[in-house]
Amino acid sequence: MRIAVLNGPNLNLLGTREPEVYGTETLAQIEELVRATHQAAGVSIDWFQSNHEGALVDAVQSFADSADGLVINAAALTHTSVALRDALLSVGIPFVEVHLSNIFAREEFRHKSLLSDIATGLVCGFGSQSYVLGTSALLSHLKAK
Ligand code: CA2
């Protein structure tokens, strides 16, 4: 099984600022946690982060024929990006939306996601565990198919 985990703008800053909202772990530490979680099962994981919308669209397209599923924390693009939504629709592979914070308990503009209604599922509010839960749920979903 091969999955890709895609991360959007500013997530490269994790662990350096706003620890009260996003925790103290860096994105590299979250990547290690996710890799360690699925290592024994022999899951292949591609990990990607970009601050650029087009680069994320390119990444989604690039995994169309090579990944069984995607996990995506699109960060602020979650709330704005029709391009990312269209890319995810066009590749047609299952994806799980994840967020560190509970987007529904924050400012109103974060309550709307352009991705949730086309996602297989959504995990938010559990910090780095959102990634562990999201990747685990995606793998269970893919195995059951
Ligand atoms: O909770 C999440 O995972 C978010 O996707 C994070 C995004 C935010 O725009 C979404 O509404 C919810 C923000 C990512 C920015 O990450 C930072 C990390 C450290 C310091 C500053 C920003």
Side-chain angles (χ1 to χ4, degrees):
M1 202 71 80
R2 181 177 178 188
I3 63 171
V5 182
L6 308 182
N7 296 280
N10 297 307
L11 288 167
N12 56 310
L13 297 177
L14 278 179
T16 65
R17 303 202 181 101
E18 298 188 56
E20 66 288 354
V21 183
Y22 298 119
T24 54
E25 286 164 284
T26 64
L27 193 60
Q29 287 171 327
I30 297 174
E31 176 180 356
E32 268 318 298
L33 174 66
V34 169
R35 288 192 186 282
T37 301
H38 302 297
Q39 193 172 23
V43 177
S44 167
I45 300 173
D46 290 275
W47 191 274
F48 181 79
Q49 188 274 331
S50 179
N51 292 329
H52 305 280
E53 184 176 23
L56 286 155
V57 169
D58 286 344
V60 169
Q61 290 182 9
S62 78
F63 287 115
D65 297 322
S66 55
D68 299 296
L70 305 174
V71 169
I72 182 160
N73 182 352
L77 295 173
T78 303
H79 317 296
T80 61
S81 180
V82 177
L84 204 48
R85 177 189 173 90
D86 286 347
L88 288 161
L89 272 174
S90 74
V91 298
I93 55 178
F95 77 92
V96 172
E97 176 182 350
V98 299
H99 299 285
L100 297 154
S101 62
N102 179 353
I103 56 174
F104 303 103
R106 300 185 63 193
E107 304 97 317
E108 198 160 340
F109 67 85
R110 296 186 203 274
H111 298 183
K112 176 70 187 168
S113 165
L114 295 188
L115 309 181
S116 301
D117 66 305
I118 58 165
T120 300
L122 163 69
V123 182
C124 72
F126 295 100
S128 58
Q129 284 299 314
S130 291
Y131 283 76
V132 173
L133 294 165
T135 50
S136 300
L138 175 67
L139 288 162
S140 298
H141 174 78
L142 292 170
K143 281 183 199 134
K145 279 213 313 176

